[in-house]
Amino acid sequence: MRAIQEQRLQAKAAGLRAVALTLTFADNGAFCSGHISAFLERLRKVLKRRGHTLPYTWVLEREGRLHYHLMLWLPREFILDKRKLAQWWPWGSTWTAYCRHVKRWGSYMAKFNCVARLPKATRLFGYGGLDECGRAAVQRAGLPRWLQVLLPRGERTRRFPGGRWTNAETGEAYVSPYLWTPWGWVKRADTYGRGK
């Protein structure tokens, strides 16, 4: 949702419109995680020739057949031709519509019900086309809440084994104030997040 919010801000400034798209596999056995990248690369090349970038967000879902839901931000004059879509997505069917209710489509995409057994390392969602500020906002939104409180705005962290996070700017270490026990998460008595 945060990626869509950031893309919406960028799109408004650039005069782009939202397009909802679903790419469905005709046969789940034909699934390959590289298909979504191939599709997006074809669309990105077409837009690049016209001088545009491609902000996008996608999620993989299984309700019956495997399918991707996408939110694309396209120039107002650019039309997704059905013949081209069929060429770019030869593994099944496509559905597309102008997205008048971005928040609703984003909420629909954000629901998580992909319980299918997928090959290892299959990504369930992806996004792209954000500027540096947008990428930083999305990355920050993905951090644990306790770390968002401690980390100064505009600074980045890296995760290390053992539950530590390190500030990429200062090298300061952060440790979760919570500890996993057989009875669930409990708050540590000794510290609130800052490492030594």
Side-chain angles (χ1 to χ4, degrees):
M1 284 301 292
R2 187 56 191 244
I4 290 173
Q5 290 169 1
E6 292 298 322
Q7 288 171 345
R8 188 178 195 177
L9 291 172
Q10 261 184 236
K12 191 172 185 180
L16 304 176
R17 65 182 162 88
V19 175
L21 178 64
T22 299
L23 305 172
T24 305
F25 286 93
D27 174 19
N28 285 351
F31 173 79
C32 172
S33 57
H35 292 333
I36 188 69
S37 299
F39 173 83
L40 290 168
E41 187 57 32
R42 290 173 183 138
L43 181 55
R44 191 180 292 114
K45 281 182 181 176
V46 170
L47 288 169
K48 188 176 181 179
R49 282 195 298 264
R50 297 176 183 210
H52 299 286
T53 60
L54 176 62
Y56 65 87
T57 304
W58 62 262
V59 296
L60 176 62
E61 182 181 345
R62 178 177 182 154
E63 196 172 301
R65 290 181 285 163
L66 286 168
H67 56 280
Y68 290 101
H69 292 301
L70 293 91
M71 171 86 69
L72 306 174
W73 299 91
L74 302 173
R76 296 195 179 278
E77 71 279 359
F78 185 80
I79 306 295
L80 280 174
D81 180 78
K82 289 186 181 203
R83 283 190 339 246
K84 285 284 184 197
L85 281 174
Q87 289 174 0
W88 297 340
W89 188 257
W91 304 284
S93 61
T94 64
W95 171 87
T96 184
Y98 294 117
C99 191
R100 290 187 179 91
H101 304 284
V102 170
K103 193 172 182 178
R104 282 189 207 161
W105 182 248
S107 294
Y108 179 76
M109 287 174 60
K111 70 182 180 0
F112 183 80
N113 66 352
C114 183
V115 295
R117 291 185 184 193
L118 299 172
K120 280 189 175 184
T122 297
R123 292 178 55 210
L124 297 178
F125 67 94
Y127 66 91
L130 283 171
D131 60 16
E132 185 66 29
C133 183
R135 282 193 301 274
V138 172
Q139 288 170 351
R140 184 176 184 87
L143 295 175
R145 291 194 191 274
W146 65 265
L147 186 54
Q148 290 180 31
V149 170
L150 294 174
L151 186 69
R153 284 234 175 254
E155 294 188 11
R156 297 175 181 260
T157 62
R158 288 190 175 172
R159 189 175 193 165
F160 287 92
R164 286 189 178 271
W165 295 78
T166 302
N167 185 320
E169 310 278 327
T170 66
E172 184 177 6
Y174 302 99
V175 179
S176 173
Y178 301 99
L179 183 64
W180 176 251
T181 70
W183 304 277
W185 291 100
V186 295
K187 193 164 184 174
R188 294 177 193 256
D190 59 341
T191 180
Y192 182 73
R194 298 209 182 256
K196 295 195 174 27

